[in-house]
Amino acid sequence: MKLRTLAACAALSVSMFAGAALADGRIAAALESPVAAKTKIVAGGAVFVCEGAECVSTAAPSRAMTSAACKALAKEVGRVSAFGGETKSLDADDLTRCNGAAKAVAAK
């Protein structure tokens, strides 16, 4: 009986911490120039799927909602015009920092 109670408490603790780690959930980034092909990129601990002029992570940890994560994404796909989750978005200053390392995209 004690083992069952201990297992239940452990499962509850894990689910509480997992919920906190995925607090922001979905993060989307609008790109200034579309990517040439569908691409997967890891930035800030989140897997972003980039297609067209948008990159989306559907299960992002809270640490992915930073200008550093945006910068890592921009380094791979080019300038980002918006970066945000369901509860928070980067402001203009954060986007400027994000785009400081943006990959140069060839003009069409």
Side-chain angles (χ1 to χ4, degrees):
M1 184 70 168
K2 285 185 181 182
L3 186 56
R4 228 183 256 165
T5 303
L6 182 60
C9 288
L12 180 60
S13 295
V14 168
S15 67
M16 286 174 38
F17 287 116
L22 298 174
D24 290 325
R26 182 181 189 276
I27 295 178
L31 307 178
E32 288 186 4
S33 299
V35 293
K38 187 174 182 178
T39 309
K40 286 187 181 180
I41 297 166
V42 177
V47 177
F48 286 88
V49 177
C50 301
E51 190 168 22
E54 183 177 52
C55 294
V56 177
S57 176
T58 57
S62 58
R63 72 177 186 273
M65 193 56 242
T66 63
S67 59
C70 180
K71 188 181 236 182
L73 184 65
K75 190 174 184 177
E76 298 295 324
V77 296
R79 294 181 58 81
V80 174
S81 59
F83 188 88
E86 296 168 355
T87 59
K88 181 181 171 187
S89 294
L90 296 185
D91 62 21
D93 290 338
D94 288 330
L95 285 174
T96 299
R97 281 190 287 282
C98 168
N99 287 316
K103 174 183 176 182
V105 178
K108 293 182 180 183

